[in-house]
Amino acid sequence: MLITLEGLDGSGKTTVWEALHDVYPDATFTREPTDSWYGEAVARSIAADDADPLAELFLLTADHADHLSGTIEPALADGRLVISDRYSDSRFAYQAATLAASDVGIERPLEYIRGIHSAFSRPPDATIFLDLDARTAAERAGRTNKFEQDGYLAAVQRNYERLIDAEPGRFHRVDATRSPEAVIERVEAIVADLLDAEADE
Ligand SMILES: Nc1ncnc2c1ncn2[C@@H]1O[C@H](COP(=O)(O)OP(=O)(O)OP(=O)(O)O)[C@@H](O)[C@H]1O
Ligand SMILES: Cc1cn([C@H]2C[C@H](O)[C@@H](COP(=O)(O)O)O2)c(=O)[nH]c1=O
């Protein structure tokens, strides 16, 4: 089973992801951007305020393709639980916001990016969405790069809501304004329920 963690910068995904290691020590824990050379190229692009929006999308998508073939698919083939801190929904939400604000001229960027992925990617079995307002997210993240900005994160949040509206059965919303302990407890309960449901199939 592939479970992904999604949400704005600062919503607490990594905090939750780290806590889940103690509960599921045999699971495969991974993340996007990865730490591969593709992910290193992504990090350079994210750090560049003048990065080309399409080039950045394709760098992130290349990192995802390698992540799929090198990590995700082999782990799933071995019957392992896979938990990824960010995955394709981050591309849909973030890069659609970037393209919409650019002069690239793609009319429906979220649909465009989803179309690219539909040709090769594997959707998550479930996604836990840590729900936090853009301002609090930017504050927690520290506004350290071009993505961690209030207005941009508000656009990203709107894209996440569109994704949730389109697939309400895949997303599990968690109130990320609660304490770290409460958020972790809620996420652990959701993951346990997902695994129980899988076992009953
Ligand atoms: N529930 C919470 N309440 C308050 N602060 C939190 C909570 N969860 C995490 N934090 C804090 O917010 C900051 C960001 O947390 P974390 O790195 O887990 O978020 P993230 O979603 O992984 O962010 P990013 O996507 O930018 O990596 C950290 O300083 C962390 O201690
Ligand atoms: C996978 C992915 C990530 N991003 C953005 C979101 C963050 O601002 C940075 C780094 O992610 P992290 O969780 O802080 O490590 O990258 C993105 O824009 N698109 C993506 O597909």
Side-chain angles (χ1 to χ4, degrees):
M1 171 177 275
L2 172 58
I3 299 174
T4 58
L5 306 175
E6 291 285 355
L8 301 182
D9 296 63
S11 57
K13 297 177 301 303
T14 303
T15 300
V16 164
W17 182 81
E18 289 172 346
L20 290 172
H21 281 66
D22 296 334
V23 185
Y24 300 101
D26 297 330
T28 293
F29 287 88
T30 187
R31 65 191 322 156
E32 292 185 0
T34 73
D35 57 7
S36 72
W37 68 267
Y38 299 97
E40 289 169 5
V42 167
R44 289 180 59 183
S45 183
I46 289 170
D49 290 342
D50 61 347
D52 179 275
L54 275 178
E56 189 161 84
L57 164 64
F58 297 141
L59 284 175
L60 281 153
T61 305
D63 186 40
H64 177 62
D66 179 69
H67 188 211
L68 272 175
S69 62
T71 302
I72 300 286
E73 291 169 344
L76 293 174
D78 286 345
R80 299 168 69 95
L81 167 63
V82 180
I83 298 176
S84 187
D85 178 356
R86 292 195 184 281
Y87 191 71
S88 47
D89 291 308
S90 285
R91 216 121 44 249
F92 305 156
Y94 279 77
Q95 274 59 63
T98 298
L99 289 177
S102 77
D103 58 2
V104 169
I106 293 174
E107 287 188 12
R108 303 178 65 182
L110 193 147
E111 291 78 2
Y112 170 69
I113 300 168
R114 291 186 74 177
I116 292 170
H117 284 68
S118 66
F120 75 94
S121 187
R122 188 224 192 265
D125 295 295
T127 298
I128 296 172
F129 177 71
L130 299 188
D131 190 2
L132 188 68
D133 64 278
R135 180 177 178 181
T136 306
E139 284 171 356
R140 285 191 196 170
R143 299 184 175 95
T144 64
N145 65 31
K146 62 189 178 184
F147 291 155
E148 297 174 358
Q149 304 302 318
D150 302 46
Y152 177 79
L153 289 179
V156 173
Q157 184 79 339
R158 289 192 293 272
N159 287 334
Y160 270 126
E161 293 298 342
R162 288 181 57 194
L163 296 169
I164 296 168
D165 287 346
E167 294 184 78
R170 170 163 70 89
F171 286 88
H172 302 263
R173 189 189 298 267
V174 175
D175 179 0
T177 66
R178 300 177 67 195
S179 71
E181 297 74 19
V183 171
I184 289 167
E185 182 178 351
R186 180 67 188 124
V187 170
E188 289 178 353
I190 292 169
V191 173
D193 288 348
L194 287 167
L195 294 175
D196 287 347
E198 183 189 49
D200 293 344
E201 286 177 355

